[in-house]
Amino acid sequence: MRLYAVVAAGGFRRYATYRVATAAGVFTNTVFGFIMAYTYIALWDERPQLGGYDLSQALTYVWLGQALLMTCAMMGGGFEDELIERIRTGDIAVDLYRPADLQLWWMASDLGRAAFHLLGRGIAPMVLGALAFDLALPGNPLTWIAFLVSVALGVVVSFAIRFLVGLCAFWLMDGAGVMQICWLAGLFFSGMLLPLNLFPGALGEVARALPWSSLLQVPADVFLGKHTGWGLVQAYAFQAGWALALLAAGRALQSAATRRVVVQGG
């Protein structure tokens, strides 16, 4: 486990070196946060309590989305591009023969990336949003801890999805199309554009049951106090269940890819 802790620390340091890109990302997240906040204000003026949120909670949801956009890599930007490129060039064969698990290696690196983006690109927009608007910030420290646990689970779910997308390159040789579909699904079904509670009927039920809801909708509802007690346990179980299922699928796909490499190499 020490190896993967070192890899995670390396992932954190890697993204910490791009200071100008981080500053630009904070600026971009803040600008889009203000655009979406005023859009939400107009919408909630017409439909108060829409989706079960008051205006303060809706604005909080907006800024949480900006804080978690890169943390949970809803638009990509993690390891998947590098993984696809290594598969395309054949360098992945070296990775598979190393005395380290491929999935755990990339997950450790991605956790380091997510930790940096939460601190480097998540806190500043949230603070600026809180200064400009009346946000529904929790007063109980336990709620903040519960929120961070939910975010961690969301990051693992996000990694598991993108790991599967990356491994598709073993059979497709170009994962760009699958990756773009994954990004679009992540933006729509995570609740980044609108809370999933606003989706009508069966669409809403399906959207909330998909793994992408673990990236924003579930952590935001934990932050806003929508999940407490047994409801919080159920929210964690939902995220953990998707994480385990997707990681298991990634493990199976990795085994199939390893056999393919061994056969071709032999």
Side-chain angles (χ1 to χ4, degrees):
M1 293 304 294
R2 182 180 178 183
L3 169 64
Y4 301 112
V6 171
V7 173
F12 186 98
R13 289 194 301 270
R14 175 183 179 183
Y15 284 88
T17 59
Y18 301 108
R19 296 182 179 88
V20 175
T22 300
V26 170
F27 176 78
T28 302
N29 288 138
T30 303
V31 169
F32 276 98
F34 275 98
I35 293 172
M36 293 188 67
Y38 284 112
T39 302
Y40 273 44
I41 289 173
L43 182 59
W44 258 259
D45 280 345
E46 294 295 324
R47 297 284 301 275
Q49 298 298 322
L50 186 63
Y53 302 119
D54 59 29
L55 179 58
S56 180
Q57 291 174 327
L59 291 173
T60 305
Y61 186 97
V62 167
W63 291 102
L64 285 172
Q66 295 306 310
L68 297 181
L69 177 62
M70 286 303 296
T71 302
C72 292
M74 288 177 238
M75 294 181 65
F79 67 95
E80 56 272 20
D81 288 326
E82 185 178 351
L83 176 58
I84 289 173
E85 180 62 17
R86 292 188 69 82
I87 293 172
R88 189 188 67 81
T89 60
D91 292 339
I92 193 67
V94 178
D95 300 337
L96 291 171
Y97 281 110
R98 285 175 179 165
D101 183 79
L102 184 71
Q103 188 182 56
L104 290 177
W105 178 283
W106 286 109
M107 184 166 69
S109 177
D110 198 57
L111 289 175
R113 175 208 57 79
F116 172 76
H117 279 141
L118 181 62
L119 297 174
R121 287 187 59 170
I123 293 178
M126 193 73 185
V127 170
L128 292 171
L131 292 174
F133 302 96
D134 180 23
L135 303 187
L137 302 177
N140 188 346
L142 293 178
T143 302
W144 288 89
I145 295 173
F147 166 70
L148 291 176
V149 172
S150 184
V151 169
L153 289 170
V155 170
V156 175
V157 172
S158 173
F159 162 79
I161 294 171
R162 289 176 290 122
F163 186 69
L164 284 169
V165 170
L167 290 182
C168 287
F170 272 108
W171 291 269
L172 300 178
M173 294 308 298
D174 183 3
V178 178
M179 194 184 309
Q180 289 175 358
I181 292 173
C182 182
W183 293 348
L184 290 172
L187 278 177
F188 187 76
F189 290 113
S190 66
M192 186 67 200
L193 301 179
L194 279 174
L196 301 182
N197 296 340
L198 274 62
F199 288 17
L203 177 61
E205 295 294 330
V206 171
R208 288 187 290 272
L210 292 174
W212 289 283
S213 65
S214 297
L215 278 57
L216 173 58
Q217 184 68 57
V218 175
D221 281 341
V222 171
F223 188 88
L224 294 171
K226 301 294 185 180
H227 297 304
T228 57
W230 180 245
L232 180 61
V233 175
Q234 290 179 315
Y236 285 163
F238 172 81
Q239 290 180 291
W242 269 118
L244 291 173
L246 292 169
L247 287 173
R251 177 71 59 182
L253 204 60
Q254 176 183 318
S255 298
T258 303
R259 290 193 296 269
R260 180 185 179 92
V261 170
V262 170
V263 169
Q264 289 181 346

